[in-house]
Amino acid sequence: TLTAVGEEPSSDVTVPLNSAEGGFTFVGNPFASNIDLNSLTEDGDGISNSVAFWDDGNNTYQIVDRTLNYIVAPWQGFWVQSFGDNPGDLITPTSAKTTSSTTATYFSKAASNRADLSVRLSSETTNDNVKVAFRASATLEYDKDDFGKLTPLSTTYAAVSIFNNDRMKGVESLPYDLEQEITLRTHIDLVGVEGKFTLDWTGLDDLPSEWELIFHDYELGISMNMREQSQYTFEAASESAAKVNPLSILTGPAAITLKAKQENSRFGITISPSSVKTDGKEDGPLVFNLGQNYPNPFNPTTNIPYTLESAGMVNISVYNVMGQKVATILDEYKGKGPHNVTWNAIGVASGMYYYRIEANGNVKTLKMTLIK
């Protein structure tokens, strides 16, 4: 419990941000009146567009978009995430003060070119969520519309996150005018809990009706249309015992976010924009094909085009001239149609390599050359 006496600040309040890449800073409303989080300013690269509140009643974080005129009470604390190499300072101006009521449902009118796909993980004792935010300003790279995944403050928990751009995220942002298919690895962390869990999702009605969304359980080989099914129930065992000290997340910036998982996650969500051409004509018959990589020779990245005649699991791997596997570039469910995948061969020696695709019972191999 914190107690304060005296007058509230009479001028803007400046707080130095965590300088670690993607680091979090715990801040709060410094004034004696409500403030609008959309009024926060920065003097460097700044912070992400989302902020996180710890919801003690539900034992989970609530992540909200601060650009939607989110109103918070005096001394309300929340987490902000640094963005870029020079986040600088966070400034709460006196102009942020407002007489508007504090409420979790207070938003300005939402723009038409935005939508949120919310995914909730629940059980009899746990509750958590992750969000895919479609924004006009978002890109496929890491940007201010993304938000990392905070380690829960409880000793036992079940947490859901999306692994992309080499980061565990609580909010994954994508362009609202998405033009290519993308698969989001969805990871579950279980600490001191096990048994039956349910994943359910909402927000699909705000996405273009022609988009196809497929949920995958790679472990059991199950794929389902998310527009036809609204939830998925599964059983899982705890990955580790209960944590001794939940406040250990405060010991340093590296301990705050969930550890990035290098192994494949059990679940995934494939989002496929419309396959209908802009002239209104349907695509012609599709034929399975693996195209020549480009550029070729390359250093260190190259693009590999391929086409699927029907949706299914796709594996693309790279082998050296001795037949030894060098890398697995892709091992995911993909929809029918043309695709591209990029291989970054950093750390791999120069030479000739073979890349091989397996999909729907089809196999094809081609050669490529890495020159450094």
Side-chain angles (χ1 to χ4, degrees):
T1 300
L2 300 178
T3 302
V5 296
E7 300 294 326
E8 68 173 336
S10 59
S11 59
D12 299 350
V13 176
T14 300
V15 176
L17 291 167
N18 189 334
S19 60
E21 182 184 4
F24 288 89
T25 307
F26 189 68
V27 299
N29 176 2
F31 299 117
S33 61
N34 298 342
I35 64 168
D36 184 344
L37 294 188
N38 194 35
S39 298
L40 299 179
T41 61
E42 310 126 340
D43 64 1
D45 294 332
I47 61 174
S48 297
N49 288 335
S50 294
V51 299
F53 299 87
W54 177 251
D55 183 351
D56 190 58
N58 290 306
N59 204 31
T60 187
Y61 285 99
Q62 300 295 339
I63 303 176
V64 303
D65 189 335
R66 67 184 179 92
T67 67
L68 292 178
N69 302 101
Y70 199 91
I71 312 300
V72 299
W75 281 51
Q76 169 68 62
F78 51 92
W79 293 92
V80 298
Q81 185 174 27
S82 300
F83 182 82
D85 297 328
N86 179 32
D89 296 329
L90 180 68
I91 303 167
T92 305
T94 56
S95 59
K97 295 194 289 186
T98 177
T99 57
S100 298
S101 300
T102 303
T103 169
T105 58
Y106 182 86
F107 297 103
S108 60
K109 183 177 180 181
S112 58
N113 58 343
R114 62 190 301 141
D116 292 325
L117 170 62
S118 298
V119 179
R120 182 181 62 153
L121 171 68
S122 60
S123 69
E124 291 184 353
T125 59
T126 64
N127 184 46
D128 194 38
N129 55 80
V130 69
K131 180 171 69 176
V132 183
F134 297 87
R135 300 289 186 266
S137 57
T139 69
L140 294 178
E141 305 302 322
Y142 184 72
D143 55 48
K144 282 193 172 184
D145 289 309
D146 291 301
F147 194 79
K149 187 68 179 183
L150 285 153
T151 302
L153 293 174
S154 51
T155 56
T156 61
Y157 60 83
V160 56
S161 54
I162 290 175
F163 180 59
N164 197 19
N165 307 123
D166 295 323
R167 301 169 187 259
M168 303 294 281
K169 300 180 186 179
V171 176
E172 167 64 34
S173 69
L174 295 175
Y176 186 83
D177 57 348
L178 188 66
E179 296 180 347
Q180 67 184 72
E181 181 183 271
I182 187 169
T183 295
L184 303 173
R185 286 287 184 174
T186 307
H187 188 79
I188 307 295
D189 279 278
L190 302 179
V191 174
V193 293
E194 60 185 13
K196 184 176 292 186
F197 299 87
T198 298
L199 284 164
D200 61 78
W201 41 85
T202 58
L204 276 69
D205 291 342
D206 295 328
L207 298 175
S209 59
E210 65 272 17
W211 285 15
E212 181 182 63
L213 290 96
I214 304 296
F215 174 82
H216 315 285
D217 182 339
Y218 297 113
E219 183 176 299
L220 299 182
I222 296 174
S223 295
M224 55 193 294
N225 190 326
M226 296 175 68
R227 293 190 185 275
E228 297 176 354
Q229 305 280 348
S230 61
Q231 65 179 35
Y232 180 76
T233 300
F234 63 98
E235 292 189 1
S238 175
E239 299 171 348
S240 59
K243 293 184 180 295
V244 175
N245 179 12
L247 296 183
S248 62
I249 68 160
L250 302 177
T251 60
I256 292 176
T257 52
L258 284 178
K259 183 179 178 181
K261 304 293 180 179
Q262 297 302 321
E263 69 272 16
N264 290 336
S265 302
R266 173 175 174 177
F267 304 104
I269 297 174
T270 297
I271 305 171
S272 303
S274 174
S275 60
V276 178
K277 295 182 178 180
T278 56
D279 59 8
K281 296 180 180 180
E282 294 285 344
D283 290 328
L286 295 171
V287 178
F288 169 80
N289 184 52
L290 176 64
Q292 186 62 53
N293 67 298
Y294 63 91
N296 187 43
F298 66 97
N299 177 29
T301 61
T302 188
N303 298 298
I304 299 174
Y306 63 97
T307 302
L308 303 179
E309 82 288 358
S310 60
M313 290 296 298
V314 180
N315 180 280
I316 299 179
S317 298
V318 178
Y319 299 83
N320 60 23
V321 293
M322 302 297 293
Q324 299 168 319
K325 182 183 289 188
V326 174
T328 297
I329 303 177
L330 185 70
D331 188 20
E332 297 178 359
Y333 181 99
K334 291 292 184 180
K336 67 178 181 179
H339 304 273
N340 275 283
V341 65
T342 300
W343 183 40
N344 188 338
I346 188 170
V348 179
S350 299
M352 180 180 295
Y353 293 89
Y354 296 90
Y355 59 104
R356 182 174 186 264
I357 185 173
E358 294 183 61
N360 299 320
N362 298 303
V363 179
K364 187 173 182 179
T365 303
L366 291 175
K367 293 188 295 185
M368 59 182 171
T369 304
L370 171 62
I371 298 179
K372 293 187 175 181

